[in-house]
Each structure stands twice: as structure tokens, then as C-alpha cells.
């Protein structure tokens, strides 16, 4: 059976069989056999090809990678784990967001600590001006799930107030071209920050505010699945979220 995922990725990159064969230093007939599904590339070629096409090995050849190898590669995606979000130095936050070249995504309930940091605001404004796509997703302060989260943390309507405060603090960003805001209505199991191929994942723990919960710093590695799972979660919530209502 033809490998349609491989074929489509090559078309997207404008790569012919011959061009790809020359890049990987293999016979063009070998590339043709990869595409028609007669053979699966050797591991070295799989890695080079996946990197060249910007796809995961597990996506292009889902049956080729042993599960134990996927687990090992996924583990290598973990750069660092902080026991609490508050343990991650501010300079590290700034450095990660400063590294963005193509996209930034923020998925939170309120993200008030983020909204209060003028250094992060300056970075987002600069990145938007440079053409980086920026998507900000906050919880809808009027949603019942927000009230439930406040009860879980023991602060009543506090989460809703935090969101409204954050939206006020984000007013410069909201007025900036290239920065899009939406409100989500989901039960948020993690706050997720996407910075190109890096992710910061702040887990949520029942009864605790996000600042006291762990944060994972991940970087996508070809063949790994951990970072991609959180990336897909971000995209799923973003697609369900709604634009901010027009202000009076």
C-alpha cells in the first residue's frame, strides 16, 4: 500500500523523488519504493527524512518504530521538570518566549502572573511585529467550569475575577495586529504554552493553584510523542474556543 503521508509531505515541500534521493544520497529507485510502500527506510534514513519533511517518524511510518524506542525518544523530549511553576525562574520564561520565531500559543484559565509581567508583554509585542503568530486562550469568566475551579481552589469567584483582571492587563496585546484572543469553555487539565517546537506544560492538581503545581519543559524530537500530545490538546481547545465578545 502506498505511503500517502510520505507522498503528501514531499509534495508539500516541493520535493521530487530525484531531489530527495540526492539529498539523502540514496538511489532514486529506493525513494520510489518508499513512496509506493514496498519498503520502509532504514532508521538513519527515516530520521533524516522525517527531519527534512518536518514530520514525526511515527506519523510517516506508524508501524515501523518499536514502542520501546518511542518511549525512549519521548523521554528525551523532557528538558526539565520544575516541582512548582513558581520554581521556574523568570529569566527562563523570558528566554523561552524570546526564542520564538514562528508561533506562540498560550492556553490558561487566567494566566494572571503572565499578564502582570511587563517583560513578557514586551516580548509578545515585539514578536507580533516580527510576524510571529500569537494565540492567547483564556477561560470564559462566565462559564460554570470557571466557578467550579474556583471552588476547588477554595477561592470562590476568585478565578473569574482573575480572568477579568488578566483581560484588562492584556489590553495592549488585544489591540495588536497578529495577536488573537479566544475564550474556552473546557475543563482545563493543563495550562499549555507553545513556543515553536518547545512547550511549557503546567499541570493542574485538584485543590491547588497552578503556581504550586509542576511544570514540564518539553522540546519536540522527531519520533517522540510526548510533546505532540500536548500540542494536539492545545489545538483542540483552540478550535473549540470562541473569539472575545465585542466591547461596548
Amino acid at each position: 500500500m502506498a505511503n500517502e503521508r510520505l507522498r503528501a509531505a514531499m509534495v508539500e515541500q516541493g520535493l521530487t523523488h530525484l531531489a530527495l534521493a540526492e539529498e539523502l544520497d540514496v538511489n532514486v529507485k529506493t525513494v520510489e519504493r518508499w513512496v509506493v510502500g514496498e519498503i520502509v527506510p532504514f532508521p538513519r534514513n527515516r530520521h533524516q527524512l522525517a527531519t527534512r519533511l518536518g514530520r514525526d517518524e511515527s506519523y510517516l511510518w506508524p508501524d515501523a518504530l518499536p514502542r520501546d524506542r518511542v518511549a525512549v525518544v519521548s523521554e528525551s523530549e523532557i528538558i526539565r521538570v520544575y516541582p512548582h511553576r513558581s520554581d521556574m525562574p523568570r529569566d527562563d520564561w523570558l528566554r523561552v518566549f524570546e526564542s520564538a520565531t514562528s508561533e506562540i500559543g498560550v492556553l490558561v484559565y487566567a494566566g494572571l502572573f503572565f499578564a502582570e509581567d511587563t517583560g513578557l508583554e514586551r516580548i509578545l509585542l515585539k514578536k507580533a511585529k516580527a510576524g510571529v503568530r500569537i494565540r492567547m486562550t483564556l477561560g470564559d469568566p462566565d462559564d460554570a467550569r470557571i466557578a467550579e475551579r474556583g471552588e476547588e481552589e477554595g477561592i470562590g469567584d476568585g478565578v473569574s475575577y482573575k480572568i477579568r483582571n488578566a483581560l484588562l492587563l492584556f489590553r495592549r496585546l488585544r489591540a495588536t495586529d497578529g495577536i488573537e484572543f479566544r475564550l474556552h469553555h473546557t475543563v482545563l487539565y493543563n495550562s499549555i504554552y507553545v513556543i515553536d517546537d518547545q512547550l511549557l506544560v503546567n499541570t493542574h492538581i485538584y485543590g491547588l493553584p497552578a503556581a504550586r503545581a509542576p511544570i514540564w519543559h518539553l522540546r519536540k524530537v522527531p519520533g517522540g510523542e510526548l510533546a505532540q500530545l500536548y500540542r494536539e490538546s492545545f489545538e483542540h481547545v483552540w478550535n473549540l474556543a470562541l473569539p472575545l465578545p465585542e466591547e461596548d
Side-chain angles (χ1 to χ4, degrees):
M1 183 180 296
N3 189 332
E4 295 299 339
R5 292 181 176 182
L6 176 58
R7 190 198 309 275
M10 289 174 60
V11 171
E12 183 178 309
Q13 295 293 323
L15 280 171
T16 64
H17 292 179
L18 179 59
L20 187 58
E22 290 176 347
E23 284 194 27
L24 299 182
D25 194 23
V26 298
N27 190 287
V28 66
K29 292 293 184 182
T30 299
V31 175
E32 292 174 357
R33 295 179 70 190
W34 292 344
V35 174
V36 300
E38 289 184 7
I39 60 173
V40 173
F42 291 125
R44 179 177 63 86
N45 288 331
R46 285 203 303 266
H47 177 74
Q48 290 181 330
L49 184 52
T51 300
R52 174 64 177 83
L53 296 176
R55 297 290 191 276
D56 293 335
E57 289 184 56
S58 57
Y59 171 79
L60 294 172
W61 303 281
D63 299 323
L65 296 181
R67 295 309 302 171
D68 57 347
R69 183 188 171 198
V70 172
V72 170
V73 174
S74 296
E75 185 176 346
S76 71
E77 294 182 310
I78 303 173
I79 297 176
R80 186 170 181 180
V81 177
Y82 300 89
H84 313 286
R85 190 191 71 198
S86 56
D87 292 334
M88 184 172 175
R90 177 174 179 269
D91 285 348
D92 289 355
W93 282 92
L94 298 178
R95 183 163 46 251
V96 173
F97 279 89
E98 185 66 55
S99 71
T101 59
S102 60
E103 68 168 326
I104 291 173
V106 174
L107 170 60
V108 293
Y109 272 133
L112 187 56
F113 83 100
F114 195 99
E116 291 175 334
D117 193 317
T118 56
L120 285 170
E121 180 187 61
R122 284 194 296 269
I123 289 174
L124 295 188
L125 290 171
K126 180 176 70 173
K127 294 299 179 179
K129 185 177 181 180
V132 173
R133 183 189 187 193
I134 300 176
R135 295 178 288 172
M136 308 285 291
T137 322
L138 282 68
D140 186 335
D142 296 320
D143 190 77
R145 295 174 182 82
I146 299 302
E148 290 175 4
R149 178 65 181 176
E151 292 299 325
E152 291 172 4
E153 292 186 15
I155 58 175
D157 293 331
V159 177
S160 178
Y161 292 141
K162 286 182 180 180
I163 295 172
R164 297 182 192 281
N165 192 9
L167 288 171
L168 287 174
L169 293 171
F170 281 136
R171 57 186 178 274
R172 287 186 65 195
L173 300 182
R174 292 166 56 188
T176 300
D177 291 339
I179 303 180
E180 184 176 357
F181 277 80
R182 292 185 184 181
L183 297 178
H184 68 82
H185 302 78
T186 61
V187 176
L188 200 58
Y189 300 103
N190 306 277
S191 295
I192 301 175
Y193 306 84
V194 179
I195 308 93
D196 294 343
D197 63 346
Q198 297 185 71
L199 291 96
L200 298 170
V201 180
N202 186 191
T203 63
H204 289 187
I205 297 177
Y206 185 88
L208 292 180
R212 294 178 58 191
I215 191 163
W216 294 29
H217 184 184
L218 310 175
R219 183 186 293 274
K220 187 75 185 79
V221 173
E225 297 182 351
L226 185 59
Q228 184 62 25
L229 288 173
Y230 288 107
R231 175 59 184 265
E232 290 174 358
S233 178
F234 173 89
E235 295 294 344
H236 185 61
V237 177
W238 174 259
N239 290 332
L240 293 173
L242 300 175
L244 289 178
E246 294 291 335
E247 295 183 351
D248 296 332

